[in-house]
Amino acid sequence: MKTLIYIIFWFSFQFFAKINCQAPLKPKQRYEFTATFIDNKLHILGGLLNNNPVTFVEKEFFYLDFSGPFNTKELPWKDLSNVDVIPSHYGASCGANNNTLFLYGGTPNDNTMSLVYTYNTQNNMWSSPVIVGNSNTIRKSELKGIMDRNGKMYLW
């Protein structure tokens, strides 16, 4: 009788228990991606999977936290793809100012991509700022960017 009760209890537990069986994130090998280091985290976005034919990475945005120790054979990537609103692209440039990642240019998969995006690492939100003044609206690709302490972004 006790055995039957234990079996019923075990099946009931399996039915009601929510078990998180997510596999750790293993990013696809890519090139022409953006990488930005903000607050001890290396953020990676976009890129291409192979060259012929050109295959865009679809909606993968993640970071690796360098603030503590980790095993280099099993990197603890943190998936941010659920907040990724940027169209598939490659060759964009990025820079950081405080807790904000700035993404400029790049080659999009379609024509819906804005020229500039910002990502706030504090609230995990993307936005597309309105650019005022004299700005060059020609989309550039494969540039390298860096931001100074005054918030100016320089592109090479």
Side-chain angles (χ1 to χ4, degrees):
M1 184 66 174
K2 281 186 177 182
T3 305
L4 182 60
I5 292 172
Y6 286 124
I7 291 172
I8 292 171
F9 177 74
W10 185 81
F11 278 113
S12 299
F13 178 76
Q14 295 297 316
F15 180 73
F16 290 111
K18 181 179 178 180
I19 300 171
N20 187 358
C21 295
Q22 274 188 328
L25 175 66
K26 298 219 183 221
K28 298 173 185 136
Q29 188 175 4
R30 69 194 68 219
Y31 68 101
E32 297 280 340
F33 57 90
T34 60
T36 307
F37 197 72
I38 302 174
D39 193 30
N40 290 321
K41 296 176 181 132
L42 180 64
H43 292 80
I44 297 178
L45 176 69
L48 296 172
L49 295 177
N50 58 31
N51 197 16
N52 191 11
V54 172
T55 306
F56 288 82
V57 173
E58 294 293 331
K59 297 291 181 190
E60 278 193 355
F61 180 40
F62 50 91
Y63 69 82
L64 180 60
D65 190 347
F66 284 87
S67 63
F70 55 85
N71 180 349
T72 58
K73 292 182 181 181
E74 294 181 27
L75 296 174
W77 296 106
K78 171 69 173 153
D79 191 4
L80 297 173
S81 299
N82 62 330
V83 298
D84 183 9
V85 297
I86 310 300
S88 299
H89 67 281
Y90 68 91
S93 180
C94 58
N97 185 6
N98 296 324
N99 295 315
T100 304
L101 179 152
F102 289 82
L103 184 73
Y104 172 81
T107 302
N109 191 18
D110 57 37
N111 291 328
T112 63
M113 188 170 176
S114 295
L115 186 62
V116 177
Y117 288 94
T118 61
Y119 174 71
N120 184 314
T121 61
Q122 298 298 305
N123 62 14
N124 291 328
M125 293 196 58
W126 282 99
S127 64
S128 182
V130 175
I131 307 299
V132 295
N134 185 9
S135 65
N136 184 358
T137 59
I138 298 173
R139 182 169 296 283
K140 305 272 187 203
S141 184
E142 301 181 30
L143 298 172
K144 301 301 176 216
I146 191 168
M147 295 191 80
D148 68 13
R149 291 185 176 143
N150 298 317
K152 291 183 181 178
M153 186 173 194
Y154 298 91
L155 301 166
W156 287 270

